[in-house]
Amino acid sequence: MNTDNEIMMDVKGDDFDKLGILFERHKKNLFGFFFKITYDRDLSEDLVQDVFIRILKYRESFGGYGKFSTWMYSIAHNISVDHFRKQKNKQEDPDTLNSLESYDHNHNIIKNEELDILNRAMLKLVPDKREILILSKIKGMKYKELGGILNCSETAVKVRIFRALKDLRVIYSKMEVPANEAKNVG
Amino acid sequence: MKQKMSDEMIAEYLSSDISEEKKRELKNKLVSSGYSKIELEEMENLYSNIDGIKVPESSDKLGLNFYRSLGIYKDVHSQNNSLIKVFVKNIRNVFSNKYALRFVYSLTLLAVGWYFGNWSNQDGRKLQSMSKEIDQMKQVLMYSMLEQPSATERIKAISYADDLENADDKILNAFLDTLNNDPNPNVRLTAVEALSKYSDIQFVRSGLIKSISVQESPLVQVALIDLMLKLKEKGSITELNRLLQNRELNYSVRSKTKETIQRL
């Protein structure tokens, strides 16, 4: 089986159909990444699509030395930054505000209270902090690689992960208290 | 500095890449530098729970859209490539010509002049027709995207207009329709932005004016009011007054409307 890098080099040489192989290999993980930072299925699908369009557009910049997935997640990171920058200038999209509720009711995915609070706390976290936590949880993702994606040192990555987690813990604790109080009243 | 080192150490402690032994060592160091075991365990639990966030299955639309875009990209690329080939072939013809070689210095300018003259007439026409085809393709894509249930998709459709060389009346009418009827305020806002570029066209301008009193979202109302001021459109005063008659009008929008009427 050809490696991602070999396939990407073919795409770089204008063998565009090979991009389909990379799409099939990575669509699930990329979709998961975007979903966990946006909690919006339609939007996540659009953003995955944008990643592959940019891969085609900037194929010449793929050197083939580093891992393809690092390069791909750098593109995904840029797309995520662009998306949240645009969102900031607009009224919060009702689709996003309602996403967690519809996700909760329609898909019946949130099975326990702890996870429910975690999802809500994640949505309250600022996007770049939410993103670094999700990126750091991608299987096989090393801090050094993450530094390459976020264009910062490994040390900075570690500090940023800690700070994001610290903020998440504060938000989580605040949400946990009313949830427990409600349970006691009930 | 010490704080930064502890922060780093915690991230390292949480990493799944380290051995159990290293983890214990880091834990001891962190505890001796003031962290409580409970605090560390809580952080570890929280970080580990992130893995449990469930992700739904993506829809079939993801693959369909990807392969559709890939197809479009391939078509556009092959059309561009054939144009480049024609260009290279013509250049080669010019320079393989015996006369051109013999009198290369004297004829270079003439040959280049001839080539560009010829190219601009013939291939320029091809380029124009290709560009027109791409525009048509984008328009088809845009109409189908405007019908999508996802607001993001509809915003994207309107954004395609920026890439079009010229938006025709049909597109501009579709945008006006979106401006007045789309349920999502962000989509309507994007429609205002897109239409503002065509505000010198009479029917677009009057469509924008008529839309003022139709809008319910303060954001869209403000965008339209700002646009009227920018265009110095006195014809909008009647609609702005009509907007003021709305008792539920947002306070800031009301003040902005009054101010705009005065300035116009």
Side-chain angles (χ1 to χ4, degrees), chain B residues 5-6 9 17-18 26 65 69 76 107 124 135 161 179 194 219 221 233 251 253 264:
Chain B
M5 274 176 68
S6 313
M9 224 189 280
D17 288 336
I18 58 164
L26 283 168
N65 284 346
S69 304
V76 172
L107 291 182
D135 269 7
L179 172 63
L219 267 181
Q221 289 166 338
E233 180 54 67
Y251 178 76
V253 181
L264 285 174

Side-chain angles (χ1 to χ4, degrees), chain B:
Chain B
M1 189 67 181
K2 196 183 164 193
Q3 180 61 44
K4 200 179 164 194
M5 274 176 68
S6 313
D7 295 354
E8 266 183 73
M9 224 189 280
I10 289 188
E12 212 174 321
Y13 167 75
L14 295 170
S15 163
S16 55
D17 288 336
I18 58 164
S19 65
E20 279 302 311
E21 197 187 334
K22 177 84 178 161
K23 205 174 177 79
R24 267 197 301 275
E25 190 191 313
L26 283 168
K27 194 172 186 174
N28 289 337
K29 273 189 190 171
L30 285 163
V31 170
S32 62
S33 69
Y35 281 95
S36 76
K37 279 186 183 172
I38 296 173
E39 197 178 353
L40 285 174
E41 276 161 18
E42 267 181 26
M43 279 224 174
E44 201 175 350
N45 271 341
L46 191 59
Y47 192 56
S48 144
N49 283 348
I50 294 174
D51 289 325
I53 297 175
K54 298 286 186 287
V55 176
E57 286 293 317
S58 57
S59 72
D60 294 341
K61 202 184 78 186
L62 177 62
L64 287 175
N65 284 346
F66 167 75
Y67 288 106
R68 186 181 62 180
S69 304
L70 184 62
I72 293 173
Y73 191 90
K74 275 163 60 185
D75 288 347
V76 172
H77 186 266
S78 68
Q79 279 172 324
N80 278 340
N81 248 4
S82 57
L83 266 182
I84 291 167
K85 276 178 191 159
V86 171
F87 180 87
V88 172
K89 196 179 158 195
N90 285 352
I91 283 280
R92 276 190 187 145
N93 285 345
V94 169
F95 287 100
S96 63
N97 184 301
K98 282 179 187 172
Y99 283 105
L101 280 174
R102 204 173 291 164
F103 302 107
V104 68
Y105 294 112
S106 54
L107 291 182
T108 300
L109 278 174
L110 194 64
V112 170
W114 168 83
Y115 177 78
F116 278 106
N118 199 32
W119 183 80
S120 61
N121 283 339
Q122 290 180 15
D123 289 353
R125 271 197 292 275
K126 277 188 196 170
L127 198 67
Q128 262 184 348
S129 109
M130 195 187 82
S131 157
K132 205 175 166 187
E133 276 173 36
I134 294 172
D135 269 7
Q136 281 167 350
M137 206 158 68
K138 277 184 185 162
Q139 283 182 32
V140 172
L141 199 66
M142 203 186 67
Y143 287 128
S144 77
M145 282 168 79
L146 270 177
E147 301 297 319
Q148 295 295 317
S150 151
T152 321
E153 197 94 352
R154 299 200 299 278
I155 287 175
K156 229 182 215 177
I158 299 170
S159 310
Y160 268 133
D162 288 339
D163 299 337
L164 297 176
E165 285 192 358
N166 275 308
D168 61 18
D169 290 1
K170 209 173 148 194
I171 293 176
L172 295 172
N173 274 316
F175 286 175
L176 282 171
D177 190 47
T178 302
L179 172 63
N180 292 326
N181 301 310
D182 197 284
N184 185 299
N186 286 333
V187 179
R188 298 202 298 274
L189 207 54
T190 316
V192 176
E193 278 171 34
L195 285 165
S196 66
K197 289 171 198 152
Y198 299 94
S199 54
D200 49 339
I201 301 172
Q202 194 47 47
F203 83 90
V204 173
R205 191 176 281 233
S206 60
L208 285 163
I209 296 172
K210 276 181 199 156
S211 184
I212 298 173
S213 58
V214 175
Q215 299 299 329
E216 284 172 359
S217 155
L219 267 181
V220 185
Q221 289 166 338
V222 168
L224 283 168
I225 295 166
D226 281 344
L227 182 63
M228 292 304 128
L229 194 60
K230 195 176 156 195
L231 298 172
K232 296 183 180 131
E233 180 54 67
K234 288 186 181 161
S236 66
I237 293 176
T238 318
E239 280 301 310
L240 291 171
N241 277 320
R242 192 169 293 160
L243 187 66
L244 285 176
Q245 283 163 20
N246 179 356
R247 287 184 181 180
E248 285 167 15
L249 188 67
N250 175 292
Y251 178 76
S252 313
V253 181
R254 185 175 294 278
S255 336
K256 196 167 186 67
T257 311
K258 283 180 184 167
E259 190 196 323
T260 307
I261 292 173
Q262 274 180 351
R263 290 176 70 182
L264 285 174

Side-chain angles (χ1 to χ4, degrees), chain A residues 70-111:
Chain A
T70 309
W71 185 67
M72 182 184 76
Y73 277 108
S74 306
I75 294 174
H77 161 67
N78 289 333
I79 285 174
S80 151
V81 170
D82 288 350
H83 166 71
F84 285 109
R85 191 182 295 138
K86 278 181 206 159
Q87 280 292 104
K88 211 175 162 185
N89 298 331
K90 286 181 176 171
Q91 178 184 318
E92 193 142 15
D93 193 335
D95 290 355
T96 311
L97 286 176
N98 295 329
S99 63
L100 198 54
E101 276 71 17
S102 61
Y103 162 66
D104 197 351
H105 294 305
N106 299 338
H107 300 277
N108 199 20
I109 282 173
I110 300 168
K111 285 181 183 152

